[in-house]
Amino acid sequence: MRSYRSSFSGDRTRQRIKFSDERVCKSHLLNCCPHDILSGTRMDLGECLKVHDLALRADYEIASKQQDFFFELDAMDHLKSFIADCDRRTDIAKKRLADTQEEISAEVAAKAERVHELNEEIGKLLAKAEQLGAEGNVEESQKVMDEVEKTRICKREAEEIYRSSMPASSFQQQKLRVCEVCSAYLGLHDNDRRLADHFGGKLHLGFIEIREKLDELKVYIFSFFYCTEMLCIVT
């Protein structure tokens, strides 16, 4: 299906339609369309089937100060559907791993999970330290790196406990898990660079942004309708 966005451009878009037109992406107006957020990642969705235009977003932002348009409902439904698809992919990937990876006891699995958790913590801390460094906040970046070193020590200890609980041949196998945020695969033995690239990457951060925006929309809509209902009761 041809994208509406490709049918309009610049002034022609604004002459033909208004931001309230059903052809306009309400998620784009609220700056949360997955097509925008994930653009340029390995999960680039291509063009949205609805119109995206920054001028229409500006028109909406001005008008919304004077009137509620309730586009949050449309955006919430859009993001809920997108996240539901992502979570289904995560469940499928988990099942695939369970079917293909060597079965281990619950005790050993818990030890492996601890290594994964520390891996994730290291990756997130490294991504944070790099971001702080890029912003010129060298002192804070160094503090985070100190936390990285402490976590690395904990990880080595956790790896040793995990290693000692199973045969060496099994330990050498690449044990995978699925990222709960973006459904990407993560390896038990991934190095720090791989972890930092994942947790600080545009794809993972994009999914965090989408999930956080969905939570904000849910809270906003619940609060609005709850307050409206209570007002009706009082009056």
Side-chain angles (χ1 to χ4, degrees), residues 29-229:
L29 296 181
L30 292 165
N31 197 26
C32 62
C33 181
H35 291 264
D36 290 334
I37 296 172
L38 299 179
S39 175
T41 71
R42 66 174 179 80
M43 286 188 63
D44 191 316
L45 302 170
E47 285 193 346
C48 182
L49 295 179
K50 294 195 172 184
V51 174
H52 282 209
D53 187 280
L54 293 176
L56 293 177
R57 181 191 291 173
D59 292 342
Y60 163 71
E61 290 175 348
I62 293 171
S64 63
K65 294 177 181 179
Q66 306 297 325
Q67 177 185 347
D68 287 322
F69 294 93
F70 307 111
F71 291 161
E72 289 81 4
L73 285 168
D74 295 299
M76 183 182 72
D77 289 341
H78 183 193
L79 298 194
K80 280 176 67 176
S81 175
F82 176 80
I83 291 299
D85 285 342
C86 177
D87 290 343
R88 278 193 290 271
R89 288 195 301 272
T90 299
D91 291 339
I92 291 171
K94 285 181 177 179
K95 186 177 185 304
R96 187 180 297 121
L97 286 181
D99 292 340
T100 58
Q101 292 199 136
E102 180 182 343
E103 186 174 350
I104 57 178
S105 69
E107 180 183 358
V108 174
K111 294 174 181 177
E113 181 66 19
R114 178 57 179 160
V115 178
H116 274 303
E117 290 172 353
L118 290 167
N119 259 348
E120 290 193 13
E121 187 174 347
I122 289 171
K124 291 174 182 177
L125 287 170
L126 282 171
K128 181 179 180 181
E130 290 180 359
Q131 179 62 34
L132 288 169
E135 294 170 353
N137 199 335
V138 179
E139 185 175 346
E140 287 301 315
S141 177
Q142 185 55 54
K143 288 180 181 179
V144 175
M145 287 303 300
D146 291 342
E147 289 299 314
V148 170
E149 290 305 317
K150 293 177 183 177
T151 309
R152 280 173 175 159
I153 293 173
C154 294
K155 176 189 171 183
R156 285 195 291 271
E157 293 173 350
E159 281 183 326
E160 187 57 40
I161 293 172
Y162 172 55
R163 187 195 302 270
S164 64
S165 67
M166 61 192 307
S169 58
S170 297
F171 179 78
Q172 292 304 320
Q173 294 180 2
Q174 179 75 341
K175 297 295 181 181
L176 299 174
R177 75 180 300 186
V178 183
C179 178
E180 297 286 350
V181 173
C182 65
S183 77
Y185 286 110
L186 296 172
L188 186 70
H189 310 306
D190 283 343
N191 60 38
D192 289 352
R193 182 68 267 158
R194 165 78 173 86
L195 294 169
D197 287 345
H198 173 80
F199 290 104
K202 186 177 180 181
L203 178 64
H204 185 81
L205 295 178
F207 270 94
I208 290 177
E209 182 179 347
I210 293 169
R211 289 178 182 277
E212 288 179 346
K213 187 61 179 182
L214 177 56
D215 289 339
E216 290 174 9
L217 290 170
K218 288 178 178 178
V219 171
Y220 173 83
I221 291 168
F222 174 80
S223 300
F224 179 85
F225 285 104
Y226 176 78
C227 292
T228 301
E229 183 179 347

Side-chain angles (χ1 to χ4, degrees), residues 8-46:
F8 302 94
S9 63
D11 292 335
R12 289 182 62 199
T13 306
R14 295 189 287 278
Q15 289 170 4
R16 292 191 180 190
I17 62 174
K18 297 183 181 298
F19 64 80
S20 56
D21 192 292
E22 64 178 12
R23 293 170 292 179
V24 175
C25 177
K26 303 308 184 286
S27 300
H28 172 70
L29 296 181
L30 292 165
N31 197 26
C32 62
C33 181
H35 291 264
D36 290 334
I37 296 172
L38 299 179
S39 175
T41 71
R42 66 174 179 80
M43 286 188 63
D44 191 316
L45 302 170

